[in-house]
Amino acid sequence: MLQDQSQESQYWTQRYNQNRTGWDIGYISNPLKAYIDQLTDKTIKILIPGAGNAYEAEYLFQQGFTNVFVLDISPEPLDTFAKRVPDFPESQLLLDDFFTLKGNYDLILEQTFFCSFIPTDENRLAYVKQMADLLKSEGKLVGLWFDFPLTDDMEKRPFGGNKKLYLTYLQTHFEAQIFDKCYNSIPERQGNELFGIFEKK
């Protein structure tokens, strides 16, 4: 059974209220900035699910991308983002459950989202299927996955994994164009991230 989304909303809201956001580095990560900097079409429709404080969306918006959608299950980071980036279109801030979201996107950016779910096969396979359903034909899923051992501790979020494990899920709906150790991680995450570009099959 997929994790209860009302419980997930409460869980993440509590984390933000208690300022227990150790994954939040306070700015866009180097690998995603480098990827965004080589994009030329600023009209493409982009989704950032589980966006948290959404520094990626802020950067995209500053660079003139007009079709960026920020999704989170908790209202706290969305409210914070709206105050920090007041010109960002309110209609493109989505308070919703990723697993029931509808839409078609050219690009989805992944930043610690996959690793936030309780790591059951059901959750991880549902994530991959939903990513594929949300992408247009030849759409891309691009981002970062934590590369450290997955433990049995179900409270130790973010949850880890490795390249081989992630590919067992991702290859059901995606072709990997790149999926390797990240060379330009921030110092605190050096050696602990994989960067991937996946195209929908």
mmCIF file of all heavy atoms in Angstrom, residues 28 31-48 56 59-61 63-68 106-109 140-142 177 195 197:
data_model
loop_
_atom_site.group_PDB
_atom_site.id
_atom_site.type_symbol
_atom_site.label_atom_id
_atom_site.label_comp_id
_atom_site.label_asym_id
_atom_site.label_seq_id
_atom_site.Cartn_x
_atom_site.Cartn_y
_atom_site.Cartn_z
ATOM 1 N N ILE A 28 20.480 26.817 -5.210
ATOM 2 C CA ILE A 28 20.400 25.769 -6.225
ATOM 3 C C ILE A 28 21.685 24.944 -6.213
ATOM 4 O O ILE A 28 22.785 25.492 -6.075
ATOM 5 C CB ILE A 28 20.138 26.371 -7.625
ATOM 6 C CG1 ILE A 28 19.922 25.249 -8.648
ATOM 7 C CG2 ILE A 28 21.232 27.339 -8.035
ATOM 8 C CD1 ILE A 28 19.475 25.755 -10.014
ATOM 9 N N PRO A 31 25.052 20.850 -9.781
ATOM 10 C CA PRO A 31 24.743 20.049 -10.966
ATOM 11 C C PRO A 31 23.479 20.502 -11.691
ATOM 12 O O PRO A 31 23.447 20.527 -12.930
ATOM 13 C CB PRO A 31 24.581 18.634 -10.401
ATOM 14 C CG PRO A 31 25.336 18.655 -9.115
ATOM 15 C CD PRO A 31 25.146 20.020 -8.562
ATOM 16 N N LEU A 32 22.435 20.864 -10.943
ATOM 17 C CA LEU A 32 21.203 21.306 -11.604
ATOM 18 C C LEU A 32 21.389 22.683 -12.237
ATOM 19 O O LEU A 32 20.852 22.946 -13.319
ATOM 20 C CB LEU A 32 20.039 21.302 -10.619
ATOM 21 C CG LEU A 32 19.503 19.912 -10.274
ATOM 22 C CD1 LEU A 32 18.327 20.003 -9.316
ATOM 23 C CD2 LEU A 32 19.090 19.130 -11.520
ATOM 24 N N LYS A 33 22.161 23.553 -11.608
ATOM 25 C CA LYS A 33 22.443 24.853 -12.216
ATOM 26 C C LYS A 33 23.173 24.669 -13.539
ATOM 27 O O LYS A 33 22.837 25.303 -14.551
ATOM 28 C CB LYS A 33 23.276 25.725 -11.277
ATOM 29 C CG LYS A 33 23.590 27.106 -11.855
ATOM 30 C CD LYS A 33 24.426 27.926 -10.895
ATOM 31 C CE LYS A 33 24.704 29.319 -11.465
ATOM 32 N NZ LYS A 33 25.499 29.270 -12.720
ATOM 33 N N ALA A 34 24.168 23.785 -13.553
ATOM 34 C CA ALA A 34 24.929 23.532 -14.783
ATOM 35 C C ALA A 34 24.027 22.980 -15.881
ATOM 36 O O ALA A 34 24.156 23.350 -17.056
ATOM 37 C CB ALA A 34 26.082 22.574 -14.500
ATOM 38 N N TYR A 35 23.101 22.097 -15.501
ATOM 39 C CA TYR A 35 22.171 21.551 -16.506
ATOM 40 C C TYR A 35 21.240 22.640 -17.031
ATOM 41 O O TYR A 35 21.044 22.777 -18.245
ATOM 42 C CB TYR A 35 21.356 20.402 -15.903
ATOM 43 C CG TYR A 35 20.369 19.835 -16.894
ATOM 44 C CD1 TYR A 35 20.779 18.957 -17.884
ATOM 45 C CD2 TYR A 35 19.024 20.218 -16.857
ATOM 46 C CE1 TYR A 35 19.876 18.457 -18.825
ATOM 47 C CE2 TYR A 35 18.124 19.722 -17.791
ATOM 48 C CZ TYR A 35 18.557 18.848 -18.772
ATOM 49 O OH TYR A 35 17.672 18.370 -19.707
ATOM 50 N N ILE A 36 20.668 23.420 -16.135
ATOM 51 C CA ILE A 36 19.749 24.492 -16.534
ATOM 52 C C ILE A 36 20.454 25.497 -17.437
ATOM 53 O O ILE A 36 19.871 25.976 -18.429
ATOM 54 C CB ILE A 36 19.168 25.186 -15.285
ATOM 55 C CG1 ILE A 36 18.185 24.236 -14.575
ATOM 56 C CG2 ILE A 36 18.473 26.502 -15.650
ATOM 57 C CD1 ILE A 36 17.800 24.677 -13.180
ATOM 58 N N ASP A 37 21.713 25.786 -17.148
ATOM 59 C CA ASP A 37 22.447 26.801 -17.907
ATOM 60 C C ASP A 37 22.637 26.420 -19.372
ATOM 61 O O ASP A 37 22.918 27.297 -20.204
ATOM 62 C CB ASP A 37 23.805 27.082 -17.258
ATOM 63 C CG ASP A 37 23.683 27.917 -15.992
ATOM 64 O OD1 ASP A 37 22.611 28.517 -15.763
ATOM 65 O OD2 ASP A 37 24.664 27.976 -15.232
ATOM 66 N N GLN A 38 22.495 25.144 -19.712
ATOM 67 C CA GLN A 38 22.654 24.768 -21.123
ATOM 68 C C GLN A 38 21.313 24.599 -21.843
ATOM 69 O O GLN A 38 21.284 24.273 -23.032
ATOM 70 C CB GLN A 38 23.528 23.514 -21.244
ATOM 71 C CG GLN A 38 23.073 22.307 -20.446
ATOM 72 C CD GLN A 38 21.974 21.491 -21.109
ATOM 73 O OE1 GLN A 38 22.080 21.186 -22.296
ATOM 74 N NE2 GLN A 38 20.938 21.168 -20.371
ATOM 75 N N LEU A 39 20.205 24.845 -21.137
ATOM 76 C CA LEU A 39 18.889 24.809 -21.779
ATOM 77 C C LEU A 39 18.677 26.116 -22.556
ATOM 78 O O LEU A 39 18.966 27.195 -22.053
ATOM 79 C CB LEU A 39 17.782 24.649 -20.733
ATOM 80 C CG LEU A 39 17.765 23.338 -19.939
ATOM 81 C CD1 LEU A 39 16.681 23.398 -18.862
ATOM 82 C CD2 LEU A 39 17.557 22.135 -20.841
ATOM 83 N N THR A 40 18.154 26.000 -23.763
ATOM 84 C CA THR A 40 17.970 27.197 -24.599
ATOM 85 C C THR A 40 16.511 27.589 -24.782
ATOM 86 O O THR A 40 16.214 28.766 -24.972
ATOM 87 C CB THR A 40 18.609 26.989 -25.982
ATOM 88 O OG1 THR A 40 18.073 25.788 -26.575
ATOM 89 C CG2 THR A 40 20.127 26.839 -25.860
ATOM 90 N N ASP A 41 15.600 26.626 -24.716
ATOM 91 C CA ASP A 41 14.170 26.915 -24.909
ATOM 92 C C ASP A 41 13.543 27.258 -23.560
ATOM 93 O O ASP A 41 13.322 26.387 -22.723
ATOM 94 C CB ASP A 41 13.472 25.713 -25.536
ATOM 95 C CG ASP A 41 11.998 25.972 -25.819
ATOM 96 O OD1 ASP A 41 11.490 27.063 -25.465
ATOM 97 O OD2 ASP A 41 11.342 25.071 -26.384
ATOM 98 N N LYS A 42 13.252 28.530 -23.368
ATOM 99 C CA LYS A 42 12.743 28.977 -22.074
ATOM 100 C C LYS A 42 11.226 28.889 -21.959
ATOM 101 O O LYS A 42 10.640 29.340 -20.979
ATOM 102 C CB LYS A 42 13.240 30.396 -21.784
ATOM 103 C CG LYS A 42 14.757 30.422 -21.676
ATOM 104 C CD LYS A 42 15.309 31.706 -21.149
ATOM 105 C CE LYS A 42 16.834 31.580 -20.970
ATOM 106 N NZ LYS A 42 17.431 32.809 -20.426
ATOM 107 N N THR A 43 10.592 28.250 -22.952
ATOM 108 C CA THR A 43 9.142 28.047 -22.892
ATOM 109 C C THR A 43 8.776 26.628 -22.477
ATOM 110 O O THR A 43 7.594 26.329 -22.316
ATOM 111 C CB THR A 43 8.488 28.349 -24.247
ATOM 112 O OG1 THR A 43 8.912 27.369 -25.206
ATOM 113 C CG2 THR A 43 8.847 29.748 -24.731
ATOM 114 N N ILE A 44 9.751 25.746 -22.332
ATOM 115 C CA ILE A 44 9.430 24.353 -22.000
ATOM 116 C C ILE A 44 8.725 24.289 -20.648
ATOM 117 O O ILE A 44 8.963 25.094 -19.758
ATOM 118 C CB ILE A 44 10.674 23.447 -22.005
ATOM 119 C CG1 ILE A 44 11.720 23.925 -20.991
ATOM 120 C CG2 ILE A 44 11.260 23.322 -23.394
ATOM 121 C CD1 ILE A 44 12.875 22.956 -20.797
ATOM 122 N N LYS A 45 7.845 23.308 -20.533
ATOM 123 C CA LYS A 45 7.053 23.146 -19.326
ATOM 124 C C LYS A 45 7.817 22.247 -18.351
ATOM 125 O O LYS A 45 8.112 21.090 -18.653
ATOM 126 C CB LYS A 45 5.687 22.542 -19.662
ATOM 127 C CG LYS A 45 4.685 22.602 -18.515
ATOM 128 C CD LYS A 45 3.309 22.125 -18.984
ATOM 129 C CE LYS A 45 2.287 22.219 -17.856
ATOM 130 N NZ LYS A 45 0.958 21.699 -18.289
ATOM 131 N N ILE A 46 8.148 22.825 -17.178
ATOM 132 C CA ILE A 46 9.016 22.160 -16.212
ATOM 133 C C ILE A 46 8.272 21.955 -14.894
ATOM 134 O O ILE A 46 7.631 22.874 -14.389
ATOM 135 C CB ILE A 46 10.284 23.006 -15.940
ATOM 136 C CG1 ILE A 46 11.047 23.256 -17.256
ATOM 137 C CG2 ILE A 46 11.189 22.339 -14.914
ATOM 138 C CD1 ILE A 46 12.186 24.256 -17.122
ATOM 139 N N LEU A 47 8.396 20.750 -14.343
ATOM 140 C CA LEU A 47 7.834 20.447 -13.028
ATOM 141 C C LEU A 47 8.972 20.147 -12.052
ATOM 142 O O LEU A 47 9.915 19.423 -12.388
ATOM 143 C CB LEU A 47 6.909 19.225 -13.108
ATOM 144 C CG LEU A 47 6.341 18.716 -11.774
ATOM 145 C CD1 LEU A 47 5.361 19.722 -11.177
ATOM 146 C CD2 LEU A 47 5.675 17.351 -11.955
ATOM 147 N N ILE A 48 8.853 20.703 -10.839
ATOM 148 C CA ILE A 48 9.785 20.371 -9.759
ATOM 149 C C ILE A 48 8.951 19.796 -8.613
ATOM 150 O O ILE A 48 8.344 20.539 -7.842
ATOM 151 C CB ILE A 48 10.586 21.599 -9.299
ATOM 152 C CG1 ILE A 48 11.272 22.259 -10.505
ATOM 153 C CG2 ILE A 48 11.621 21.185 -8.254
ATOM 154 C CD1 ILE A 48 11.985 23.546 -10.176
ATOM 155 N N GLU A 56 15.690 25.795 -7.257
ATOM 156 C CA GLU A 56 15.783 25.539 -8.691
ATOM 157 C C GLU A 56 14.742 26.357 -9.448
ATOM 158 O O GLU A 56 15.033 26.947 -10.489
ATOM 159 C CB GLU A 56 15.572 24.045 -8.988
ATOM 160 C CG GLU A 56 16.551 23.115 -8.289
ATOM 161 C CD GLU A 56 16.180 22.842 -6.834
ATOM 162 O OE1 GLU A 56 15.008 23.060 -6.454
ATOM 163 O OE2 GLU A 56 17.073 22.420 -6.085
ATOM 164 N N TYR A 59 15.759 30.013 -9.527
ATOM 165 C CA TYR A 59 16.814 30.249 -10.513
ATOM 166 C C TYR A 59 16.252 30.226 -11.930
ATOM 167 O O TYR A 59 16.567 31.107 -12.748
ATOM 168 C CB TYR A 59 17.923 29.210 -10.359
ATOM 169 C CG TYR A 59 19.084 29.443 -11.287
ATOM 170 C CD1 TYR A 59 19.978 30.485 -11.055
ATOM 171 C CD2 TYR A 59 19.280 28.642 -12.411
ATOM 172 C CE1 TYR A 59 21.041 30.720 -11.915
ATOM 173 C CE2 TYR A 59 20.334 28.863 -13.277
ATOM 174 C CZ TYR A 59 21.223 29.911 -13.026
ATOM 175 O OH TYR A 59 22.268 30.143 -13.900
ATOM 176 N N LEU A 60 15.433 29.242 -12.223
ATOM 177 C CA LEU A 60 14.804 29.171 -13.548
ATOM 178 C C LEU A 60 14.016 30.438 -13.852
ATOM 179 O O LEU A 60 14.101 30.997 -14.952
ATOM 180 C CB LEU A 60 13.875 27.951 -13.616
ATOM 181 C CG LEU A 60 14.541 26.584 -13.781
ATOM 182 C CD1 LEU A 60 13.580 25.481 -13.358
ATOM 183 C CD2 LEU A 60 14.989 26.374 -15.224
ATOM 184 N N PHE A 61 13.253 30.890 -12.886
ATOM 185 C CA PHE A 61 12.429 32.092 -13.054
ATOM 186 C C PHE A 61 13.316 33.316 -13.307
ATOM 187 O O PHE A 61 13.029 34.141 -14.180
ATOM 188 C CB PHE A 61 11.565 32.284 -11.809
ATOM 189 C CG PHE A 61 10.514 33.346 -11.934
ATOM 190 C CD1 PHE A 61 9.522 33.269 -12.908
ATOM 191 C CD2 PHE A 61 10.501 34.434 -11.071
ATOM 192 C CE1 PHE A 61 8.544 34.251 -13.019
ATOM 193 C CE2 PHE A 61 9.537 35.413 -11.169
ATOM 194 C CZ PHE A 61 8.557 35.326 -12.151
ATOM 195 N N GLN A 63 16.132 33.284 -14.727
ATOM 196 C CA GLN A 63 16.740 33.147 -16.046
ATOM 197 C C GLN A 63 15.736 33.298 -17.185
ATOM 198 O O GLN A 63 16.098 33.168 -18.353
ATOM 199 C CB GLN A 63 17.448 31.784 -16.173
ATOM 200 C CG GLN A 63 18.498 31.515 -15.111
ATOM 201 C CD GLN A 63 19.490 32.648 -14.960
ATOM 202 O OE1 GLN A 63 20.108 33.072 -15.929
ATOM 203 N NE2 GLN A 63 19.634 33.150 -13.741
ATOM 204 N N GLY A 64 14.475 33.556 -16.845
ATOM 205 C CA GLY A 64 13.485 33.827 -17.868
ATOM 206 C C GLY A 64 12.631 32.655 -18.303
ATOM 207 O O GLY A 64 11.868 32.757 -19.272
ATOM 208 N N PHE A 65 12.715 31.536 -17.583
ATOM 209 C CA PHE A 65 11.839 30.398 -17.880
ATOM 210 C C PHE A 65 10.446 30.725 -17.341
ATOM 211 O O PHE A 65 10.284 31.066 -16.166
ATOM 212 C CB PHE A 65 12.382 29.122 -17.252
ATOM 213 C CG PHE A 65 13.612 28.585 -17.931
ATOM 214 C CD1 PHE A 65 14.869 29.094 -17.618
ATOM 215 C CD2 PHE A 65 13.520 27.586 -18.884
ATOM 216 C CE1 PHE A 65 16.012 28.611 -18.245
ATOM 217 C CE2 PHE A 65 14.655 27.092 -19.514
ATOM 218 C CZ PHE A 65 15.904 27.618 -19.197
ATOM 219 N N THR A 66 9.455 30.620 -18.194
ATOM 220 C CA THR A 66 8.117 31.117 -17.855
ATOM 221 C C THR A 66 7.125 30.023 -17.474
ATOM 222 O O THR A 66 6.045 30.322 -16.980
ATOM 223 C CB THR A 66 7.538 31.888 -19.049
ATOM 224 O OG1 THR A 66 7.517 31.011 -20.192
ATOM 225 C CG2 THR A 66 8.376 33.112 -19.378
ATOM 226 N N ASN A 67 7.496 28.767 -17.679
ATOM 227 C CA ASN A 67 6.530 27.675 -17.573
ATOM 228 C C ASN A 67 6.982 26.664 -16.520
ATOM 229 O O ASN A 67 7.008 25.466 -16.775
ATOM 230 C CB ASN A 67 6.411 27.003 -18.948
ATOM 231 C CG ASN A 67 4.980 26.642 -19.291
ATOM 232 O OD1 ASN A 67 4.064 26.871 -18.513
ATOM 233 N ND2 ASN A 67 4.810 26.061 -20.458
ATOM 234 N N VAL A 68 7.335 27.184 -15.346
ATOM 235 C CA VAL A 68 7.879 26.359 -14.268
ATOM 236 C C VAL A 68 6.801 26.136 -13.209
ATOM 237 O O VAL A 68 6.159 27.086 -12.750
ATOM 238 C CB VAL A 68 9.103 27.044 -13.617
ATOM 239 C CG1 VAL A 68 9.672 26.171 -12.498
ATOM 240 C CG2 VAL A 68 10.156 27.358 -14.665
ATOM 241 N N ASP A 106 7.538 18.782 -20.213
ATOM 242 C CA ASP A 106 8.698 18.472 -21.056
ATOM 243 C C ASP A 106 9.870 17.984 -20.219
ATOM 244 O O ASP A 106 10.687 17.175 -20.686
ATOM 245 C CB ASP A 106 9.148 19.724 -21.824
ATOM 246 C CG ASP A 106 8.067 20.249 -22.745
ATOM 247 O OD1 ASP A 106 7.752 19.564 -23.732
ATOM 248 O OD2 ASP A 106 7.536 21.353 -22.474
ATOM 249 N N LEU A 107 9.966 18.490 -18.997
ATOM 250 C CA LEU A 107 11.110 18.219 -18.140
ATOM 251 C C LEU A 107 10.651 18.176 -16.685
ATOM 252 O O LEU A 107 9.879 19.030 -16.251
ATOM 253 C CB LEU A 107 12.153 19.339 -18.318
ATOM 254 C CG LEU A 107 13.353 19.358 -17.370
ATOM 255 C CD1 LEU A 107 14.238 18.134 -17.580
ATOM 256 C CD2 LEU A 107 14.162 20.635 -17.580
ATOM 257 N N ILE A 108 11.120 17.169 -15.957
ATOM 258 C CA ILE A 108 10.910 17.120 -14.517
ATOM 259 C C ILE A 108 12.278 17.100 -13.853
ATOM 260 O O ILE A 108 13.154 16.305 -14.215
ATOM 261 C CB ILE A 108 10.090 15.885 -14.088
ATOM 262 C CG1 ILE A 108 8.712 15.903 -14.758
ATOM 263 C CG2 ILE A 108 9.932 15.851 -12.572
ATOM 264 C CD1 ILE A 108 7.832 14.709 -14.425
ATOM 265 N N LEU A 109 12.462 17.994 -12.890
ATOM 266 C CA LEU A 109 13.724 18.075 -12.159
ATOM 267 C C LEU A 109 13.601 17.371 -10.809
ATOM 268 O O LEU A 109 12.676 17.639 -10.042
ATOM 269 C CB LEU A 109 14.124 19.538 -11.948
ATOM 270 C CG LEU A 109 14.490 20.323 -13.215
ATOM 271 C CD1 LEU A 109 14.849 21.760 -12.856
ATOM 272 C CD2 LEU A 109 15.644 19.663 -13.971
ATOM 273 N N LYS A 140 11.959 14.389 -20.371
ATOM 274 C CA LYS A 140 13.137 13.983 -19.603
ATOM 275 C C LYS A 140 12.949 14.174 -18.106
ATOM 276 O O LYS A 140 12.353 15.160 -17.663
ATOM 277 C CB LYS A 140 14.361 14.774 -20.064
ATOM 278 C CG LYS A 140 14.830 14.386 -21.457
ATOM 279 C CD LYS A 140 16.038 15.204 -21.882
ATOM 280 C CE LYS A 140 16.481 14.786 -23.284
ATOM 281 N NZ LYS A 140 17.621 15.624 -23.755
ATOM 282 N N LEU A 141 13.476 13.220 -17.370
ATOM 283 C CA LEU A 141 13.601 13.299 -15.921
ATOM 284 C C LEU A 141 15.080 13.517 -15.635
ATOM 285 O O LEU A 141 15.925 12.692 -16.020
ATOM 286 C CB LEU A 141 13.112 11.993 -15.279
ATOM 287 C CG LEU A 141 13.417 11.777 -13.794
ATOM 288 C CD1 LEU A 141 12.749 12.837 -12.928
ATOM 289 C CD2 LEU A 141 12.973 10.376 -13.366
ATOM 290 N N VAL A 142 15.406 14.629 -14.984
ATOM 291 C CA VAL A 142 16.812 15.005 -14.784
ATOM 292 C C VAL A 142 17.029 15.379 -13.323
ATOM 293 O O VAL A 142 16.211 16.110 -12.744
ATOM 294 C CB VAL A 142 17.193 16.211 -15.679
ATOM 295 C CG1 VAL A 142 18.626 16.665 -15.387
ATOM 296 C CG2 VAL A 142 17.025 15.867 -17.149
ATOM 297 N N GLN A 177 20.267 8.297 -20.314
ATOM 298 C CA GLN A 177 21.241 8.932 -21.192
ATOM 299 C C GLN A 177 22.554 9.152 -20.443
ATOM 300 O O GLN A 177 23.631 8.997 -20.994
ATOM 301 C CB GLN A 177 20.700 10.262 -21.718
ATOM 302 C CG GLN A 177 19.468 10.086 -22.598
ATOM 303 C CD GLN A 177 18.985 11.399 -23.183
ATOM 304 O OE1 GLN A 177 19.230 12.479 -22.645
ATOM 305 N NE2 GLN A 177 18.271 11.318 -24.295
ATOM 306 N N PHE A 195 24.181 11.829 -10.751
ATOM 307 C CA PHE A 195 23.460 12.737 -11.642
ATOM 308 C C PHE A 195 22.905 11.935 -12.797
ATOM 309 O O PHE A 195 23.627 11.150 -13.421
ATOM 310 C CB PHE A 195 24.376 13.843 -12.180
ATOM 311 C CG PHE A 195 23.694 14.747 -13.169
ATOM 312 C CD1 PHE A 195 22.795 15.704 -12.733
ATOM 313 C CD2 PHE A 195 23.938 14.628 -14.528
ATOM 314 C CE1 PHE A 195 22.155 16.544 -13.640
ATOM 315 C CE2 PHE A 195 23.295 15.455 -15.446
ATOM 316 C CZ PHE A 195 22.415 16.418 -14.992
ATOM 317 N N ILE A 197 20.233 11.790 -16.369
ATOM 318 C CA ILE A 197 19.327 12.309 -17.398
ATOM 319 C C ILE A 197 18.642 11.094 -17.997
ATOM 320 O O ILE A 197 19.289 10.213 -18.586
ATOM 321 C CB ILE A 197 20.079 13.082 -18.495
ATOM 322 C CG1 ILE A 197 20.805 14.285 -17.898
ATOM 323 C CG2 ILE A 197 19.105 13.524 -19.593
ATOM 324 C CD1 ILE A 197 21.651 15.065 -18.913
#
